[in-house]
Amino acid sequence: MPLHHTIDYVELSVGDLGASTSFYADAFGWRTTSYGPGYTGFHDDPGSDHEGGGLALDDERPGRPLVLLYSADLDATLAAVEAAGGTVTQGPYSFPGGRRFHFTDPTGNELGVWSER
C-alpha cells in the first residue's frame, strides 16, 4: 500500500512508445504492461508486482517526466493544493486504477496525485 502524500509513480513522456518500451526492457530488464496504443506501464523491480511508472505517448511534451503522489483522500488533497497556491490543471478524473488530478506548483512544476477512490 502506498503511503499518503509520497511519490508513488513516475510517467515518462515519450515520442515513440514502441522504441521506448524496447529500450527500457533491453537496457534495464523492466517488465511492461500495455494499456493500449498510448500507454505502457513498467515494473522496474523484476521481483515485484508493483508498477513503478509508465511510458505515455505524448508528441507535444516528450522528455518531461510527470511525478505522481499518492493520496488516501484525493478530495482533501486537492483542496490543500489549491489552498497552498497550486493550480489544478486536469481533473479529478477516473482512470483504471482509481482517480487522479494534475496540478502546477507556484513555480510551474506539474505533478499528479492519485487515489484508489
Side-chain angles (χ1 to χ4, degrees):
M1 180 79 166
L3 299 175
H4 184 60
H5 288 176
T6 60
I7 295 173
D8 182 61
Y9 199 86
V10 176
E11 288 183 353
L12 304 177
S13 298
V14 300
D16 184 328
L17 190 59
S20 296
T21 299
S22 294
F23 171 79
Y24 287 104
D26 294 345
F28 302 109
W30 292 0
R31 291 182 298 118
T32 60
T33 302
S34 175
Y35 293 102
Y39 199 86
T40 296
F42 62 77
H43 301 264
D44 54 349
D45 178 352
S48 172
D49 287 333
H50 177 259
E51 229 174 56
L55 305 172
L57 183 60
D58 189 342
D59 292 328
E60 294 181 22
R61 55 179 291 251
R64 293 182 57 193
L66 177 68
V67 173
L68 291 163
L69 308 172
Y70 173 78
S71 173
D73 184 339
L74 194 70
D75 296 322
T77 299
L78 185 139
V81 164
E82 291 179 319
T87 302
V88 175
T89 59
Q90 291 185 43
Y93 60 90
S94 296
F95 75 103
R99 293 174 52 227
R100 81 187 218 188
F101 70 90
H102 293 198
F103 70 94
T104 54
D105 68 14
T107 302
N109 294 299
E110 183 179 5
L111 290 89
V113 181
W114 79 278
S115 180
E116 290 97 352
R117 47 188 146 62

